[in-house]
Amino acid sequence: MDLETSKILDMQLVKVTEVKNSYWMELEGLKRCFAKILSSGVSIKTFVTDRHTQIKKFMRDDQQEITHYFDIWHVGKAIMKKLDKLAKKKCNRQLTSWVRSVVNHLYWAAASSGGRAEECREKWLSVVNHVANVHTGHGDIFKECAHGPLDDRDWIKKGSRLHKEFKEIVASNGLITDIGRLSPVAQTYSLESYHKVVIYFAPKSVHFTYPAMKGRILLSVLHFNENCKRKQAVTKSGEEQWTVSYMKYGNGNAITKEVKTPITYGYVQDCLVEVMKMREEFPTMEEAAANMEKINSNLPPNVCDGFEKKEKAAVVAARKSRFQKGAELAKSWAPERKGKRIRKPSRRLMDR
């Protein structure tokens, strides 16, 4: 995705049988996208992703000329989860009022640093002192807080157990290493919006063949690219329209969202034009079927293709049930003729 225009530039569908296991699918898809985009003459200056370990290594070793940033939302979400978990302890309720402020500070540190890694790290680490009501002596570059006078807050006592646990989360070695590579401008929220469109066209609860899945994802790309830049709707009097949502992860905090103009489906007409062209190129069913067979000749194998095939009768004969023994025992106690009353076996006997 081009994060300036929010347009999907390329899409690759990877099947688990094409790689070692499902963990390698994301990296394989990225390699294919890079190969196609770069071979088309498009140059990539910056690349923004989450903190996927394999992608970090790939960009560090194979794409050194491209600046690799991390999306702030993904980092902030991980920090918020850890702080929320810590604040749920009865003795740490004091931290609850600080969680949202800490995440907001993360966004500010990245946006105000302009991509300067060490400055971003010092600004982020200043939150350790800030929550303890210490606003000077943060570092060599960022020496004191940039805010003005503050009202009295529920400050966390420096050196307390809560303060130490808080510092372990926000100043962990892995986080500090990645903080310096937070994206100062472009973020991947548009890509998250596209993922919702993919779920609409290809629900995870429904199984699709490889060609059907690829076709549905291509449709989702066409739909998203046409509607990703819709303007905010206005009333007849010209006032902007807004809606209010309540965040599940934000303890029900209310946020406003823009009401967009209606969705358009102009790409459908383009698809119909292409269908008519294909109809003229392959006028008979036999020719169309031959073309489809040619297109699907190099499909990746199915997962079950590597399994050993067994006879159905053998599988049925080997079937066992957890209740089979109890059912057979109950059957042996059945009356021989109608009307004869037989005592029901005890639960202890049934379990034997």
Side-chain angles (χ1 to χ4, degrees), residues 222-237:
L222 294 174
H223 182 87
F224 182 83
N225 284 351
E226 182 174 326
N227 293 281
C228 63
K229 287 296 184 180
R230 287 181 295 147
K231 297 181 179 179
Q232 185 176 3
V234 296
T235 61
K236 292 182 179 179
S237 59

Side-chain angles (χ1 to χ4, degrees), residues 67-95:
T67 304
H68 184 204
Y69 286 128
F70 298 133
D71 177 59
I72 303 178
W73 181 83
H74 286 89
V75 179
K77 183 180 179 181
I79 295 174
M80 179 180 289
K81 282 186 176 181
K82 293 180 180 179
L83 293 178
D84 281 337
K85 184 178 180 180
L86 180 61
K88 285 181 180 179
K89 296 181 180 180
K90 188 176 181 179
C91 56
N92 296 336
R93 298 290 173 81
Q94 184 184 9
L95 182 61

Side-chain angles (χ1 to χ4, degrees), residues 268-286:
V268 175
Q269 186 62 35
D270 296 334
C271 290
L272 292 176
V273 171
E274 293 299 321
V275 169
M276 296 305 299
K277 290 181 180 179
M278 294 292 290
R279 177 67 176 85
E280 295 176 356
E281 184 177 356
F282 306 100
T284 65
M285 180 63 72
E286 290 75 13

Side-chain angles (χ1 to χ4, degrees), residues 189-239:
Y189 56 83
S190 295
L191 187 61
E192 300 299 327
S193 299
Y194 167 68
H195 289 161
K196 295 180 181 179
V197 178
V198 173
I199 296 299
Y200 178 81
F201 281 88
K204 292 184 178 180
S205 58
V206 182
H207 170 73
F208 299 103
T209 61
Y210 186 90
M213 187 70 178
K214 189 171 184 178
R216 286 173 174 270
I217 294 180
L218 289 173
L219 281 176
S220 70
V221 172
L222 294 174
H223 182 87
F224 182 83
N225 284 351
E226 182 174 326
N227 293 281
C228 63
K229 287 296 184 180
R230 287 181 295 147
K231 297 181 179 179
Q232 185 176 3
V234 296
T235 61
K236 292 182 179 179
S237 59
E239 296 181 359

Side-chain angles (χ1 to χ4, degrees), residues 3 26 30 46-60 66-76 106-107 110-111 115 117 120-121 173-189:
L3 293 178
E26 189 169 350
L30 175 64
T46 59
F47 185 58
V48 184
T49 66
D50 58 6
R51 295 190 295 165
H52 194 284
T53 306
Q54 289 182 323
I55 292 179
K56 287 197 293 185
K57 185 177 185 303
F58 169 72
M59 296 299 297
R60 183 176 63 248
I66 299 176
T67 304
H68 184 204
Y69 286 128
F70 298 133
D71 177 59
I72 303 178
W73 181 83
H74 286 89
V75 179
L106 177 70
Y107 279 83
C120 184
R121 291 191 184 97
N173 293 332
L175 178 61
I176 296 304
T177 302
D178 293 341
I179 283 291
R181 295 165 63 184
L182 291 179
S183 176
V185 182
Q187 308 301 326
T188 63
Y189 56 83

